[in-house]
Amino acid sequence: MKFCKKYQEYMQGQEKKLPGVGFKKLKKILKNCRREFQSKNDVHGVLHNQTCPQHCPVCDGTFFPSLLKEMSDIVGCFNERAQKLLELHLASGFRKYFIWFKGKLQGSHVALIQEGKDLVNYALINAVAIRKILKKYDKVHFSKQGQAFKSQAQSMHIEILQSPWLCELMAFHINLRETKVKSGMTPASFEGCYLTFNDGKPFLSCELFDSVKLDIDLTCSICLDTVFDPVSLTCGHIFCYMCACSAASVSIVNGLKAAEPKEKCPLCREAGVYEGFVHLDELSILVRRSCSEYWEQRLLMERAERIRQAKEHWESQCQAIVGV
């Protein structure tokens, strides 16, 4: 079965109508573009294996804007639903029932796990769909503009595989699976997500649909150790919270929210990525369970550093008040 048909069947089988990639519409645009471009070549006696013009009116005016909107809708829907699900899962007591009632969510704990699985599937199959339609674009035009567009989408933060909520959902399923195994219960989550170690370095992996294998490096590129109290910046890169504060030139007391817009990501050097950071609570739980000895050692170090920074902060505040 061709992927296009498989994708359409998957989207039609969803209980709720979700945004997706308009395969038929985009392929029709590419077909019209190829027909128009080849007809012009035939008139001028030019060979067909030339690249699409830099400013192709069909591609620039229709194909890429349509795909851009679809990608934005997909990642927006995914982030919103994943955030609500994880918020409900991590909540406790009255707050959990309040969120459940406010969001009009129905079903059991197993239903929430199933929704998490569905969201991971949704993210990965749409990532495959986007990759295939861009590959089709490059094949039609004998160009690499499709890959260039993918890089542009990543810089606009609408690449679904960059979403911090996908990382959180993967950790969510691993945490649940380990909890169920320890309690002797049958796991309700799926086996597609797992934590691996390569040369002592942890990776969060997810393999689905055969053509997509997602590996997320859990090593902080600042301290070069396993992420502790991890956060994801809006560019998608993951760091320890304290390391991110250091990179943003802010103290632990003030936190990342106090970072200046000019501060850049240590990896990609993109500015303004600290304001919308996401605390990766599920990933933090996973690392704590999987690397307990390291976690305890790092916790003692972090506490000492936090106390030191807090002491310096309040001493400077007192000195400012008394005018010293």
Side-chain angles (χ1 to χ4, degrees), residues 222 231 233 239-257 259 263 274 306 309:
I222 298 177
V231 293
L233 308 185
F239 304 97
C240 306
Y241 183 76
M242 188 171 285
C243 292
C245 286
S246 176
S249 303
V250 294
S251 68
I252 290 291
V253 179
N254 293 325
L256 286 179
K257 291 182 179 179
E263 298 297 339
Y274 293 95
R306 285 173 183 268
Q309 289 194 26

Side-chain angles (χ1 to χ4, degrees), residues 30-91:
L30 289 178
K31 188 175 181 180
N32 291 337
C33 178
R34 177 165 54 183
R35 187 185 299 118
E36 181 180 335
F37 186 52
Q38 287 182 350
S39 64
K40 288 181 179 178
N41 286 341
D42 290 338
V43 171
H44 295 91
V46 183
L47 295 175
H48 295 333
N49 61 346
Q50 291 189 359
T51 60
C52 179
Q54 290 295 322
H55 300 287
C56 171
V58 177
C59 301
D60 295 346
T62 311
F63 180 84
F64 287 128
S66 296
L67 184 56
L68 196 67
K69 184 181 183 307
E70 289 169 356
M71 290 178 69
S72 180
D73 291 342
I74 290 168
V75 75
C77 173
F78 172 80
N79 287 346
E80 182 182 358
R81 292 184 63 187
Q83 187 175 0
K84 287 181 179 178
L85 184 145
L86 292 169
E87 184 182 7
L88 176 60
H89 176 246
L90 292 170

Side-chain angles (χ1 to χ4, degrees), residues 15-144:
E15 292 183 6
K16 299 178 181 178
K17 185 174 176 58
L18 301 174
V21 178
F23 252 104
K24 284 188 176 181
K25 180 181 70 176
L26 293 174
K27 288 177 76 173
K28 186 176 180 180
I29 292 172
L30 289 178
K31 188 175 181 180
N32 291 337
C33 178
R34 177 165 54 183
R35 187 185 299 118
E36 181 180 335
F37 186 52
Q38 287 182 350
S39 64
K40 288 181 179 178
N41 286 341
D42 290 338
V43 171
H44 295 91
V46 183
L47 295 175
H48 295 333
N49 61 346
Q50 291 189 359
T51 60
C52 179
Q54 290 295 322
H55 300 287
C56 171
V58 177
C59 301
D60 295 346
T62 311
F63 180 84
F64 287 128
S66 296
L67 184 56
L68 196 67
K69 184 181 183 307
E70 289 169 356
M71 290 178 69
S72 180
D73 291 342
I74 290 168
V75 75
C77 173
F78 172 80
N79 287 346
E80 182 182 358
R81 292 184 63 187
Q83 187 175 0
K84 287 181 179 178
L85 184 145
L86 292 169
E87 184 182 7
L88 176 60
H89 176 246
L90 292 170
S92 60
F94 176 76
R95 183 168 176 267
K96 187 164 191 171
Y97 288 102
F98 177 75
I99 296 172
W100 202 303
F101 177 77
K102 184 180 178 182
K104 296 180 181 179
L105 297 172
Q106 298 179 354
S108 62
H109 188 65
V110 175
L112 291 180
I113 298 171
Q114 182 61 43
E115 185 177 355
K117 176 183 176 181
D118 292 342
L119 281 172
V120 174
N121 289 340
Y122 174 72
L124 294 183
I125 198 169
N126 275 288
V128 176
I130 292 166
R131 187 181 71 180
K132 285 189 175 292
I133 197 66
L134 289 175
K135 189 176 179 180
K136 178 75 174 177
Y137 173 91
D138 284 342
K139 184 178 180 180
V140 168
H141 297 89
F142 302 98
S143 74
K144 294 183 179 180

Side-chain angles (χ1 to χ4, degrees), residues 307-319:
I307 291 171
R308 186 189 69 80
Q309 289 194 26
K311 185 179 178 181
E312 289 181 355
H313 173 78
W314 292 115
E315 283 180 353
S316 65
Q317 291 294 313
C318 292
Q319 290 174 359

Side-chain angles (χ1 to χ4, degrees), residues 195-204 216-219 225-227 287 291:
L195 181 68
T196 59
F197 291 86
N198 186 5
D199 295 329
K201 294 184 177 181
F203 289 85
L204 194 60
I216 300 175
D217 189 355
L218 300 183
T219 300
D225 217 332
T226 302
V227 288
V287 175
C291 313

